[in-house]
Amino acid sequence: MRLLGATAPTMQNGVVIKEVDVGQPCLSCKCAGFTYHSWRKSCSTCKCPRESHDVFHEEWVNVKDRIGCKVHLNSDLKLSTREQSISQGYSWIPGGLTPNYVQKYFSTLPASKVPKLGTPGERYRDRQLLLQLPKQDLALAYCKHVDSVHHASYEDFVTARNEIALDIGYIKVNPSNAVKCQRCKGAIGGGDIGVVAPKFGDDVMWHPACFSCDSCSELLVDLTYCVHDEELYCERHYAEQLKPRCAACDEMADVEVQMQITTERKVRKVKKSTKRRESQDGTVETVTITESSESNNQAGTNEKENQRPAITQADDVNVGGEYTKAMNKDWHSSHFCCWQCDESLTGHRYVLRDDHPYCISCYESVFANQCEECNKIIGIDSKDLSYKDKHWHEACFLCSKCRVSLVDKQFGAKADKIYCGNCYDTQFASRCDGCGEIFRAGTKKMEYKTRQWHEKCFCCCVCSTPIGTKSFIPREQEIYCAGCYEDKFATRCTKCNKIITTGGVTYKNEPWHRECFTCTHCNTSLAGQRFTSRDEKPYCAECFGELFAKRCTSCSKPITGIGGTRFISFEDRHWHNDCFVCATCKSSLVGRGFITDGDDIICPECAKQKLISRNDQSSYPRLHRSKMN
């Protein structure tokens, strides 16, 4: 629910305006509510423009009542009523249209500009009513700064505008072939809707989204327009084609003819320059120098000169009410004032800030920086030297230690204080881990972990070659280039004596390339293979067996012992575990007693049978027992 504030007068020569503004919240900031300034159009509390507040109309707005003039009407056209608009869910609809055509019309407009109740479009229409149809342009009762001697002139202007320029357009369905839109030149086809402005003729049409002001490009609110030199304008910008508007109070200057008051001023020009320095830690420090100077200009602070204005011949012409041009805007002479204190700036220097003029005193008290050294304000006539978020007078920009001026010199900063290069280096500069000397300002520094070197000192401890940005290898407290490190510390192959860069094999605590670790006899690679050794040399299983292993008495193959192979020895003969069998019955003799029979070995049973067959039991052979190795 909206709270009602003060309302303006309700009627003046047919003009009906009931706007509620006092106490309304600002839509741009969080002020307590709009309060009138004595003559500015802005809020005296937050200084935001009046239209930035939630100003609304106390009653439903009929634009015909707001402008207070007769409009072009025919038998087919009627303006919409409050009931018609609200029943369809809008704060305004074009008159004389069926609901289907109303929807068709609004579908051609941007959604944010459709005045549907409870949407941003409703607020957009309210704001455009305030901007495009300012009440001070519509009736004298809403003007505060028109002198009584110019009341008749004001009324004449309003009457002429209402009769010659101001009108309300209407929506028409194009009944024939396509016609060109007056603005975009695109086609409005047969059966399509367009906007007709009667003062241009009933055959001239615009697309609904093209029916906008030639100055501000906003859609013309409720199809209300003015015509000037065959161009479309909202009422605000139409009036500004003919009369200057005061940038402060938003009222038209009370003159019949624009008077060009040539003004000459001294403008504060701000020159900024920077000084750069690379500090000992590699960061770049920049000091900004802000310097103001004066120059003559035709469009700044104003000094009125007595000039005779050009006057046109007219009946009952009352020429008067000089105005001032400054900042490329028009002002009542009494309204061109400091934005802070409202003191007149006519004939005085001023400074622009955020597009608002300030007297020198207010600008310095509100915006000028405080000197870090002397704690005094740095006025606009002084150089402002800044580093990071600190500022100094030129004369105060001194070394904190020796008090020498640092203007145009290299300097260093530490703990919120500034120092000349020599003092900074003496107190704070770090030292090279190579030569022990300090790092002078601007010196390139090489860093690794917690250590740092001059560029020339960052070199290999063996060959003294500068490393620069090349790869290096640290060892203990020394730095080596890759070549010297490999020569001194890299692992070398036992066989070829070359550096092992990747992988490798260790045998008896000695490193080998995988490709170098081979059988001593056949050179077959032993990496990942079973092998054995003899006399500290590696052999593959085959070569070791052929060269050094015992041979099985039974199968004559070598007994290598690789992989846990077990064998039996007897006297100077040897057998594989699987080959140690009875020569007669072939049963295994492992772990059993056996009898030799010449070169053969037989089990006791076979030996007994053999003796029986010989009938010679007296000479029973000696029984032996096998032993596994």
Side-chain angles (χ1 to χ4, degrees), residues 226-295:
C226 286
V227 58
H228 178 70
D229 290 340
E230 300 301 317
E231 299 289 346
L232 275 178
Y233 293 96
C234 62
E235 193 287 325
R236 169 181 290 276
H237 292 109
Y238 165 82
E240 291 175 8
Q241 303 297 313
L242 304 176
K243 288 175 175 283
R245 185 183 298 278
C246 178
C249 69
D250 205 36
E251 293 185 17
M252 308 304 296
D254 49 355
V255 295
E256 293 182 4
V257 181
Q258 286 196 44
M259 305 180 337
Q260 181 68 35
I261 306 299
T262 303
T263 63
E264 184 178 276
R265 61 144 182 180
K266 292 183 178 179
V267 182
R268 302 303 306 171
K269 291 186 175 180
V270 178
K271 175 184 177 183
K272 286 190 176 182
S273 58
T274 58
K275 303 295 182 181
R276 295 169 61 85
R277 168 189 186 271
E278 185 175 290
S279 67
Q280 56 87 19
D281 57 3
T283 59
V284 176
E285 298 173 341
T286 302
V287 59
T288 301
I289 302 176
T290 305
E291 182 178 2
S292 298
S293 61
E294 294 183 352
S295 64

Side-chain angles (χ1 to χ4, degrees), residues 277 398-402 404-406 409-412 418-425:
R277 168 189 186 271
L398 308 173
C399 172
S400 298
K401 182 73 173 178
C402 67
V404 67
S405 175
L406 299 179
K409 294 180 181 179
Q410 290 184 338
F411 69 98
I418 53 175
Y419 300 87
C420 65
N422 290 333
C423 290
Y424 185 92
D425 290 342

Side-chain angles (χ1 to χ4, degrees), residues 24-30 48 51-55 123 127:
Q24 289 304 110
C26 181
L27 303 178
S28 299
C29 66
K30 296 181 179 180
C48 292
E51 58 268 18
S52 294
H53 294 71
D54 192 19
V55 179
R123 179 164 290 176
R127 177 178 170 83

